[in-house]
Amino acid sequence: MTAINSSIEPEKSEDTERYSAFTALRHRDFRLLWLGQIISVTGSQMQLVAVHWHVWLLTKSAFALGMVGLFRGGPIILCSLIGGVVADAVDRKRLMIITQSVMLASAACLTAVTLAGLSHVWPIYFFTAIASSASAFDTPARQSLMPTLVPARDFANAVSLGVVVFYLAMIGGPALAGLLLASHGPGIVYGINAVSFLAVIGALLAMHTRGRAIGEATTRVSLGALKEGLRFVRRTPIIVQTMTLDFAATFFASATALLPIFADRILNVGAHGYGLLGAAPAVGAVVTGLVMARIGTFRRQGRLVIWSVAIFGLATVGFGVSRVFWLSLLMLALTGAADTVSTVLRQTIRQLATPDYLRGRMTSINMVFFMGGPQLGEVEAGAVAALIGAPLSVVTGGIGSMVAALIALLKGKSLMSYDGAPRN
């Protein structure tokens, strides 16, 4: 563990008195990407809410809602490994411009077919799968690019601000989508998402940072390059354990796919309430993310990851048993807060433990876990909800997440002993 700890510790800032929650925004290229992501991720969150609501309106089927997760997660699992190899072999900025353009085109096509009068669910699944396939290449490129935009001492702050962007989008996106769904339907939401991708494309074009990986040798798109990435992950226990815990927790505790059922039939709050339910996790997450960005460094990070996953599962159980709207919002906000702690710490550990020329491949392997888990979890949640009902599906999922945390507590020795705090 000593070698791993020394490789992932960020340098101490020489100007600690000026450190703030927004320190990483002092760096121009990170600031450009961060601002572009606020717009783009908001559009994506709006579309995700609209897709689930649209599928529910067309089918009234919990299983059909769960299938959205299959068409989002399947392409990620199939394409992410090659996506990581490509991200390490080509200019990452150019790759992102291509992937963002593909996602723009997918949202635009979904807008067109919806406004033309969509009566079948399969086009929603199809264009969702296209966008997810592009995401399997976009995410390794973006996360691999991130450590080159800020110095190592500011990277944890940059990760926290990146999480804040995502959850700010989850606040504004679902809430705005709920209003538009109630007044105009899903077509306008898909159109807004299509336009939002222009923000990231513009940011990438304006950035000065080089997009090619810095490493020991030029990476080529090959089976050997993929095997090199797999070997690195397999031989780094702290990465393996964080990935496994993430997958198990999110696979079982995927309640978001079932929110339309809770809004429509259990809490009786309609489309407006559905938007608030979708935004609730982000409220807790944004507050937590800003606090973590301000603090900067945490001790006993491994244990914090495990306990945050346990709290995530407990809050999911609380949401499943709640029949009071405000309590449901509170439990969802707590899931967002716990997930933020886990996400920031896990991503900081993994990115700084990985050499730049391997970051795309490490991220792509992790995508199978941190994106495949939630999406396949939606399939599991939908199937279980169809059998025993949505509330019990959510409750059993939360229990599964807590069991995963307990196993990590007992078996994850590298994670339990990991302390990423800088040494004096």
Side-chain angles (χ1 to χ4, degrees):
M1 283 303 299
T2 301
I4 293 176
N5 275 341
S6 62
S7 68
I8 67 176
E9 289 173 4
E11 303 171 9
K12 275 193 171 183
S13 173
E14 297 178 358
D15 193 15
T16 55
E17 70 272 11
R18 295 179 59 192
Y19 193 88
S20 75
F22 303 97
T23 293
L25 294 180
R26 298 172 184 170
H27 307 287
R28 176 186 178 275
D29 285 351
F30 174 76
R31 185 168 63 249
L32 284 171
L33 184 60
W34 189 79
L35 292 172
Q37 286 286 109
I38 290 178
I39 298 171
S40 179
V41 178
T42 298
S44 297
Q45 289 301 311
M46 290 175 65
Q47 175 157 313
L48 180 59
V49 169
V51 161
H52 282 108
W53 189 252
H54 200 180
V55 169
W56 175 249
L57 291 178
L58 291 174
T59 66
K60 297 295 182 181
S61 166
F63 183 75
L65 280 174
M67 288 296 290
V68 174
L70 177 65
F71 283 93
R72 292 185 70 220
I76 290 172
I77 292 174
L78 293 174
C79 301
S80 63
L81 295 181
I82 185 62
V85 175
V86 172
D88 285 339
V90 305
D91 187 301
R92 290 162 176 167
K93 290 196 298 183
R94 292 182 181 178
L95 178 57
M96 285 184 66
I97 290 172
I98 294 171
T99 56
Q100 293 285 315
S101 298
V102 171
M103 288 187 277
L104 185 158
S106 174
C109 290
L110 188 54
T111 302
V113 298
T114 299
L115 295 178
L118 186 62
S119 58
H120 300 285
V121 75
W122 70 262
I124 301 176
Y125 291 151
F126 175 76
F127 289 115
T128 295
I130 295 295
S132 290
S133 298
S135 176
F137 291 83
D138 184 85
T139 301
R142 174 171 46 81
Q143 291 197 7
S144 301
L145 190 64
M146 279 275 291
T148 69
L149 304 181
V150 297
R153 66 178 180 270
D154 294 336
F155 184 69
N157 179 264
V159 173
S160 296
L161 290 177
V163 172
V164 167
V165 163
F166 177 77
Y167 283 108
L168 279 174
M170 281 191 66
I171 293 175
L176 182 56
L179 293 173
L180 292 174
L181 287 171
S183 59
H184 294 88
I188 186 66
V189 178
Y190 301 148
I192 291 173
N193 183 43
V195 174
S196 73
F197 289 108
L198 295 174
V200 172
I201 294 173
L204 291 166
L205 292 172
M207 287 167 60
H208 295 157
T209 303
R210 59 170 283 164
R212 287 199 171 269
I214 303 170
E216 298 175 354
T218 301
T219 301
R220 297 188 178 185
V221 180
S222 65
L223 182 60
L226 175 58
K227 289 180 178 178
E228 182 184 19
L230 290 169
R231 280 196 301 271
F232 170 77
V233 169
R234 187 176 65 249
R235 294 172 181 174
T236 312
I238 191 71
I239 293 180
V240 172
Q241 290 171 18
T242 57
M243 288 182 179
T244 304
L245 178 60
D246 190 24
F247 180 87
T250 56
F251 177 81
F252 289 110
S254 294
T256 54
L258 303 178
L259 289 183
I261 299 175
F262 279 85
D264 189 31
R265 294 184 175 177
I266 297 172
L267 299 173
N268 300 310
V269 292
H272 290 289
Y274 171 51
L276 293 175
L277 289 171
V283 175
V286 167
V287 173
T288 304
L290 288 173
V291 170
M292 294 186 73
R294 182 65 185 88
I295 294 174
T297 302
F298 291 83
R299 292 189 176 274
R300 298 183 178 180
Q301 293 181 6
R303 296 190 180 192
L304 279 176
V305 169
I306 295 173
W307 284 112
S308 64
V309 170
I311 293 171
F312 177 79
L314 183 62
T316 300
V317 172
F319 171 72
V321 301
S322 172
R323 296 298 179 271
V324 180
F325 186 50
W326 69 264
L327 181 59
S328 298
L329 292 174
L330 179 61
M331 290 298 101
L332 288 173
L334 185 56
T335 65
D339 188 50
T340 297
V341 174
S342 176
T343 298
V344 170
L345 296 180
R346 284 184 286 104
Q347 187 173 334
T348 301
I349 290 169
R350 287 192 292 253
Q351 290 292 339
L352 295 182
T354 307
D356 184 56
Y357 74 99
L358 283 167
R359 282 188 178 126
R361 281 164 282 178
M362 183 279 295
T363 300
S364 69
I365 296 167
N366 184 49
M367 282 182 69
V368 176
F369 293 83
F370 90 88
M371 296 187 75
Q375 307 313 324
L376 294 179
E378 289 188 11
V379 181
E380 180 269 341
V384 174
L387 293 174
I388 63 176
L392 275 179
S393 174
V394 171
V395 169
T396 56
I399 292 173
S401 183
M402 289 189 289
V403 170
L406 178 61
I407 293 173
L409 192 68
L410 298 175
K411 300 292 186 180
K413 294 182 180 179
S414 295
L415 188 57
M416 277 293 295
S417 61
Y418 175 70
D419 184 352
R423 297 188 182 99
N424 294 324

